Amino acid sequence: MVSLVTSIVSWLQGSPRTEIVPANNKADISYWYKVLNSANSYDEWKTAAERLDELEGNNEWKRQRTSPLYDHNRLGERIRRMHELEVDDKIESVIFWLRSGLLRNLGGIGNRRLYDHCHLGTKYIIEQHADGIRRLLTRVADCEPEEMSLEKRLAFFTESRHSLGKT
């Protein structure tokens, strides 16, 4: 109970909670579920979800790359290739690579069970892959007209939308 009181006092004082309470502390877990369920903003909800993932051991599951639910080797290789593309910084190579690999359920990453396990997020390698894709798409969107015309960029994003679908 001391941990719960300490957490509440720290929260009221605006101090971030620095110590992780063992997951067997049911009062602390119960407190964060109440915060999660009564959150008035995304930031409140996210903080509670992060705390619950810590307390319930979900972050360890996120760190484990291997799983029968998706192809972690394929994702690891794609992340490595994205880093190479970012270093080379050749828009033509980025476009070619994105066109050949923008798939909705690449390597099984669309498996619902990967997103039901935790309160917030999924396997870190999947999040890294999504972040890399986002960076490359932003690179295409923000490239200079000398690198690629606006018309070609628009055509690329239209094609990508069709290949990925809208849902």
Side-chain angles (χ1 to χ4, degrees):
M1 191 63 166
V2 172
S3 173
L4 179 60
V5 171
T6 303
S7 296
I8 293 171
V9 169
S10 295
W11 178 74
L12 290 172
Q13 293 174 341
S15 306
R17 202 168 108 173
T18 56
E19 111 183 48
I20 304 300
V21 179
N24 62 2
N25 188 330
K26 292 180 182 176
D28 201 45
I29 291 173
S30 176
Y31 166 76
W32 285 109
Y33 268 107
K34 287 177 186 170
V35 172
L36 183 83
N37 293 324
S38 64
N40 292 317
S41 69
Y42 174 73
D43 288 337
E44 282 181 42
W45 180 89
K46 183 179 177 191
T47 298
E50 288 170 340
R51 295 291 187 234
L52 285 167
D53 279 344
E54 289 171 14
L55 292 168
E56 295 174 345
N58 293 335
N59 290 339
E60 180 57 35
W61 178 85
K62 290 178 188 183
R63 281 188 285 276
Q64 294 171 351
R65 294 175 78 128
T66 60
S67 170
L69 301 176
Y70 72 104
D71 185 348
H72 69 278
N73 290 323
R74 186 171 185 188
L75 251 51
E77 176 57 31
R78 287 181 56 82
I79 290 168
R80 185 193 61 72
R81 182 65 182 131
M82 281 187 265
H83 288 301
E84 290 174 358
L85 288 166
E86 289 174 314
V87 169
D88 290 345
D89 198 33
K90 294 179 182 167
I91 199 69
E92 304 86 18
S93 299
V94 169
I95 293 286
F96 179 81
W97 187 83
L98 286 170
R99 277 191 176 129
S100 67
L102 273 182
L103 306 170
R104 183 185 302 212
N105 190 23
L106 177 82
I109 63 173
N111 188 324
R112 181 178 171 90
R113 292 188 301 174
L114 289 166
Y115 303 91
D116 288 343
H117 191 83
C118 301
H119 298 281
L120 183 67
T122 186
K123 297 280 192 181
Y124 290 138
I125 189 172
I126 295 173
E127 292 177 358
Q128 289 173 338
H129 181 265
D131 289 343
I133 295 291
R134 196 170 17 260
R135 283 192 312 272
L136 291 178
L137 289 171
T138 299
R139 171 67 177 95
V140 172
D142 294 344
C143 75
E144 296 296 323
E146 300 80 34
E147 292 179 286
M148 178 181 250
S149 71
L150 180 59
E151 292 79 16
K152 286 185 179 181
R153 283 183 275 163
L154 183 57
F156 165 75
F157 282 107
T158 301
E159 291 167 18
S160 298
R161 184 184 72 194
H162 289 299
S163 68
L164 287 173
K166 295 182 182 180
T167 59

